Amino acid sequence: MTAPSKTTPSPHKPRVFSGIQPTGNLTLGNYLGAIRNWAPLQKDYECIYCVVDQHALTVFQDPAGLREATRQVAAALIACGIDTDKHILFNQSQNPDHAELAWYFNCVARMGWLNRMTQFKEKAGSNKENASTGLFVYPNLMAADILAYRATHVPVGEDQKQHLELARDIAIKFNNDWSVADFFPVIEPLILGEATRVMSLRDGTKKMSKSDPSDMSRINLTDTADEIAKKIKKAKTDPENLPTDKKGFAGRPEAENLVTIYAALTHQTVETALSEIGGSQFGAFKQILADAAVAHLEPITTEMNRLLEDRAEIDRILAKGGERAKALSAPILKEVRDTLGLVSA
Ligand code: AMP
Ligand code: TRP
């Protein structure tokens, strides 16, 4: 992949964009790896946050379920502190500019680039022939989401790094092929926080995911305090006590995962968390972790449920966000069409 240019300063105004799919429940992984980092960025950046409902369609979605999940994710983002007056929150399908730009990027990205995407390989599984073509070009739509606004900074979890490198390559190739230096910015990923890759509670080598068939593998933002405590109590561990330093995590992915989650929830580094809980038995530590998780998540869940009592208000917020998003992307799309030689008004 192409290295970023370090010498010339970007002419683009700093702008944050991130997206999240409305598929199933939001997990603690989504929260610690991504969403939690979104609200603080509002202080220093103009932020655009998007519920990417068109990405969700790359695998079949029940329409009523998709609509409900879109509102749930929007409510979760507002509950986590997204300020929908000062910044933009909307669902992707309300701004068709993303899909239009994605088409142009389908013509820029190379088969070889997409063939290397590990998320496609994971999601398509063994039956690649049966995957939708949308799933294959998913990263092109993601690049379009970001570049339709010339966003410069993208907060995501570790698993999205490869997609952002591809988006960067698309921007660079577009700028080169049409000789429009700096037309699109070179995107910077923001991979923030202590828990950039939260693992399954049942298998410390697998990512915690909304789509894991076992609900015991994840903590959902909609779980009750009892469910959270039960899942942590039943989380897979090993027979040893917790290590006292990070080196002690070698070969112990479950211990590392639970301590990392604890550190992130209590706003400390893994090292300082270990100085507090290192050497403990898992039983005692799990109780402390469950208390921390409940204390942290309960106010968010309560606020999310409160917001969901008024779905019409959520729809109104998303529609208003969509209008504002469109106003930002429309002039950029016009420039793109002109650059490509498409005749438009
Ligand atoms: P998705 O659920 O795939 O739409 O992901 C939305 C955001 O959550 C992305 O920024 C992901 O990188 C992040 N994310 C999802 N799962 C995890 C996880 N297990 N650990 C850390 N971040 C995650
Ligand atoms: N692909 C991302 C994920 O699965 C979601 C996403 C879509 C996204 N478009 C984006 C993230 C643009 C950041 C920027 O997590």
Side-chain angles (χ1 to χ4, degrees):
M1 297 262 160
T2 325
S5 149
K6 291 225 163 54
T7 43
T8 41
S10 168
H12 297 284
K13 171 166 149 238
R15 181 178 273 174
V16 163
F17 183 98
S18 198
I20 185 159
Q21 296 193 67
T23 44
N25 280 317
L26 289 179
T27 70
L28 186 65
N30 295 128
Y31 176 69
L32 293 177
I35 303 173
R36 186 174 61 171
N37 306 313
W38 293 7
L41 291 168
Q42 297 175 119
K43 200 162 68 65
D44 297 318
Y45 294 92
E46 176 189 11
C47 297
I48 307 170
Y49 294 126
C50 185
V51 185
V52 292
D53 47 6
Q54 290 171 315
H55 273 107
L57 294 172
T58 53
V59 295
F60 181 80
Q61 302 294 330
D62 161 65
L66 179 59
R67 240 185 312 272
E68 187 54 25
T70 299
R71 292 172 178 142
Q72 276 222 6
V73 171
L77 294 177
I78 300 168
C80 290
I82 302 308
D83 180 339
T84 59
D85 289 325
K86 294 209 181 86
H87 300 270
I88 295 179
L89 173 67
F90 71 112
N91 56 309
Q92 190 181 31
S93 57
Q94 304 223 37
N95 184 1
D97 285 349
H98 297 223
E100 180 181 339
L101 188 57
W103 175 258
Y104 307 141
F105 289 169
N106 286 343
C107 304
V108 173
R110 306 287 95 181
M111 292 291 286
W113 299 0
L114 290 167
N115 268 327
R116 285 199 288 273
M117 294 296 113
T118 54
Q119 183 167 302
F120 175 75
K121 290 181 200 160
E122 276 162 29
K123 289 203 174 172
S126 52
N127 196 357
K128 218 170 103 187
E129 294 296 306
N130 198 39
S132 73
T133 49
L135 192 64
F136 188 65
V137 294
Y138 176 114
N140 297 345
L141 178 57
M142 180 162 163
D145 294 338
I146 302 163
L147 295 171
Y149 306 96
R150 293 195 167 121
T152 53
H153 293 78
V154 184
V156 284
E158 187 76 39
D159 62 332
Q160 294 302 311
K161 232 170 122 179
Q162 195 187 32
H163 285 160
L164 291 184
E165 277 163 15
L166 186 100
R168 199 191 253 257
D169 284 353
I170 289 176
I172 293 169
K173 184 164 164 53
F174 185 101
N175 294 351
N176 285 338
D177 286 358
W178 281 276
S179 307
V180 278
D182 291 325
F183 186 92
F184 284 125
V186 176
I187 301 160
E188 289 294 335
L190 296 176
I191 298 179
L192 305 165
E194 200 62 16
T196 55
R197 190 169 169 84
V198 177
M199 309 309 279
S200 157
L201 298 179
R202 308 302 302 163
D203 177 351
T205 63
K206 265 175 52 189
K207 189 178 85 163
M208 180 181 285
S209 160
K210 295 163 178 166
S211 54
D212 191 311
S214 165
D215 193 56
M216 292 301 283
S217 70
R218 61 178 160 264
I219 291 172
N220 305 305
L221 292 192
T222 49
D223 283 347
T224 62
D226 285 350
E227 283 165 334
I228 294 175
K230 185 170 138 210
K231 287 176 178 179
I232 291 176
K233 199 162 155 215
K234 295 234 157 115
K236 185 174 170 203
T237 51
D238 57 45
E240 309 291 323
N241 288 353
L242 288 180
T244 48
D245 62 31
K246 274 173 97 168
K247 281 195 260 59
F249 286 135
R252 303 182 65 191
E254 285 83 15
E256 180 168 18
N257 186 40
L258 294 180
V259 173
T260 305
I261 292 173
Y262 178 68
L265 285 172
T266 52
H267 302 280
Q268 48 182 335
T269 62
V270 169
E271 284 87 352
T272 53
L274 280 177
S275 67
E276 176 196 339
I277 43 121
S280 310
Q281 291 185 331
F282 269 110
F285 167 56
K286 280 177 163 181
Q287 188 57 53
I288 297 173
L289 175 59
D291 290 346
V294 169
H296 197 97
L297 298 178
E298 210 167 32
I300 297 173
T301 311
T302 307
E303 177 61 3
M304 207 174 134
N305 289 335
R306 191 190 67 77
L307 292 162
L308 283 167
E309 280 167 21
D310 190 352
R311 284 172 168 68
E313 172 64 7
I314 295 179
D315 292 359
R316 201 190 56 73
I317 291 171
L318 291 173
K320 185 190 75 182
E323 286 304 318
R324 288 167 59 202
K326 243 186 282 183
L328 292 178
S329 62
I332 297 174
L333 264 284
K334 165 88 176 97
E335 276 185 61
V336 171
R337 284 182 216 110
D338 290 347
T339 301
L340 296 174
L342 303 171
V343 176
S344 68

